[in-house]
Amino acid sequence: MIVRILGEGRYDVPEADLPAIEQLDAQLNDALERGDDYEFTTSLSDLIAQVRHTGTLVAPDDLRTSEQVVPHEGSTLAEVRALLAEEA
Amino acid sequence: MSVMKRLSGIVQAKANKALDKAENPADMLDLSYEKQMENLTKVRRALADVATARKRLELQASQLQAQAQKLQDQAKQALGQGQEDLAREALARRATLADQLESLGTQHQQVEAQQQQLETTASRLQAQVDSFRTKKETLKASYTASKAQASIGEAVSGISESMTDAGMTLDRAQDKIAQMQARAGAIDELLDTGALPDALGGGGDDIQKQLDATSKAGQVDAELAALKAEVGSGAAEPSASLPPGGPAGSNGGPAGSSSGNGAPASDGGDS
């Protein structure tokens, strides 16, 4: 599955590695809902590390779109909350 | 709920919005290409802004650093002069500067992160523009075939998504740059108005004035003592030799109504 890290690029992540990423995504969401800045920052940096570690960077001339998007590295809880508010 | 899925939905929605404008696939390809070029220019401009913000922060940090060092030296000097209150004042100001420096350090890390993300975005966009330039002509040449239409759609979606990412990265960088500029402006203002003493050792340094005054006073005291010693030892010799002739004679002159008294009295005193 292709996962995009905003500001960085797309990674092709093998299916087998998705559960670990989903778990970190759930932690991130949990921190977001609780408004826990520290936990949010930690989960985000763990999530980004995990995607980089298990995925393979997709070349720029490969134009496949992503299915999942990770916020910019170093994003704050407030920034991501503002981004997600655009949903509505 | 997944943050990654929700964010993906937002990115796709933005990407689709950008696509709506083009009517036929060939136009879509050209429009995508133009947008990519525009994006690349914007990212490069933002990179220059980030570099400027970074230099400004570095300059301010070194000014604050120099000022902190100066206050440290002043505190030492004040203690040496026995002025503990002044030393305490210098250290208190130094602590304020240390806070400012720490927050500048954090800002600096953020600028570096922005710079890195923008550089990545720029090089990725450049690579994409380069490969897309030839790809779009190939796709256009065969776009009547339905299969080619599908691949045009995919290519354009891919480009559009990456441009959306670049646009979001750009917005974020510009927000950060604006925040940093506001903060740098505030620090410049503090440095200018002397709320923080001038780092370049300008006039408004009251701690230095007090130190100088004390050390000047100390110097004056020392010089006075030296003079006293000089005058004291010089005076000891004449005082032994002067009274006999000088003061006694001159005193005797105006005071003595009887001029004959002066000489015998001094003679009698000596003998």
Side-chain angles (χ1 to χ4, degrees):
Chain A
M1 185 175 71
I2 302 205
V3 175
R4 175 181 291 277
I5 300 176
L6 287 176
E8 184 169 329
R10 289 158 301 157
Y11 288 85
D12 198 346
V13 179
E15 294 295 322
D17 293 314
L18 288 178
I21 286 173
E22 277 160 11
Q23 202 199 323
L24 288 166
D25 183 22
Q27 271 181 32
L28 187 69
N29 189 59
D30 187 45
L32 184 78
E33 280 180 357
R34 281 187 293 117
D36 185 337
D37 284 295
Y38 178 78
E39 189 61 35
F40 182 86
T41 307
T42 317
S43 301
L44 179 57
S45 94
D46 288 350
L47 175 60
I48 288 174
Q50 185 71 18
V51 172
R52 282 178 187 154
H53 179 66
T54 53
T56 320
L57 197 59
V58 175
D61 61 344
D62 178 337
L63 295 175
R64 283 178 293 165
T65 54
S66 61
E67 288 170 60
Q68 307 249 29
V69 177
V70 179
H72 289 96
E73 186 175 24
S75 293
T76 62
L77 191 150
E79 276 180 279
V80 174
R81 193 169 267 168
L83 267 186
L84 292 175
E86 293 179 31
E87 225 172 3
Chain B
M1 186 67 184
S2 155
V3 173
M4 290 167 72
K5 283 218 173 83
R6 285 163 72 193
L7 203 49
S8 172
I10 287 163
V11 169
Q12 297 318 326
K14 279 176 188 270
N16 289 338
K17 217 174 182 179
L19 282 182
D20 279 347
K21 290 168 191 164
E23 286 173 3
N24 70 59
D27 287 348
M28 234 182 212
L29 289 169
D30 287 334
L31 189 69
S32 293
Y33 183 71
E34 274 168 34
K35 286 215 164 161
Q36 272 182 301
M37 299 293 285
E38 265 172 40
N39 247 338
L40 194 53
T41 310
K42 279 187 200 160
V43 170
R44 294 232 166 93
R45 211 173 290 149
L47 255 177
D49 289 345
V50 167
T52 308
R54 183 178 167 167
K55 272 187 200 141
R56 192 171 174 192
L57 285 179
E58 281 164 3
L59 180 69
Q60 285 188 330
S62 75
Q63 284 179 330
L64 289 177
Q65 193 80 58
Q67 185 61 26
Q69 184 57 50
K70 186 175 166 191
L71 284 164
Q72 175 81 23
D73 294 345
Q74 287 177 330
K76 252 187 223 165
Q77 202 184 338
L79 267 188
Q81 292 178 353
Q83 300 199 79
E84 202 175 321
D85 285 349
L86 193 59
R88 191 184 302 277
E89 172 64 20
L91 289 178
R93 287 190 198 177
R94 192 177 171 276
T96 314
L97 290 186
D99 288 347
Q100 295 277 356
L101 265 170
E102 200 183 306
S103 100
L104 273 187
T106 312
Q107 294 253 325
H108 191 256
Q109 280 175 357
Q110 286 181 1
V111 186
E112 278 183 327
Q114 291 306 312
Q115 198 169 359
Q116 206 188 334
Q117 279 183 357
L118 284 175
E119 269 164 9
T120 307
T121 301
S123 68
R124 204 186 57 219
L125 276 179
Q126 182 66 64
Q128 221 167 42
V129 165
D130 291 344
S131 72
F132 192 64
R133 191 180 302 129
T134 47
K135 197 171 197 164
K136 82 180 168 80
E137 294 312 319
T138 317
L139 285 169
K140 267 203 278 188
S142 58
Y143 89 92
T144 43
S146 61
K147 201 185 165 201
Q149 287 219 18
S151 52
I152 286 177
E154 278 163 25
V156 169
S157 297
I159 290 290
S160 193
E161 183 188 308
S162 88
M163 284 195 298
T164 301
D165 180 354
M168 289 167 83
T169 302
L170 205 58
D171 285 349
R172 183 166 182 265
Q174 276 161 349
D175 281 353
K176 297 268 176 207
I177 293 168
Q179 280 169 21
M180 271 167 234
Q181 282 169 340
R183 180 156 181 82
I187 289 177
D188 276 345
E189 210 167 290
L190 277 178
L191 285 166
D192 284 349
T193 57
L196 289 177
D198 190 346
L200 303 171
D205 188 340
D206 50 336
I207 289 183
Q208 193 58 47
K209 272 181 195 154
Q210 282 194 55
L211 285 172
D212 289 349
T214 305
S215 80
K216 259 180 211 150
Q219 235 173 10
V220 170
D221 285 347
E223 280 169 14
L224 195 66
L227 269 182
K228 269 185 188 162
E230 199 182 312
V231 170
S233 64
E237 288 160 10
S239 71
S241 63
L242 273 180
S250 67
N251 276 345
S257 44
S258 55
S259 58
N261 264 352
S266 76
D267 280 340
D270 272 342
S271 55

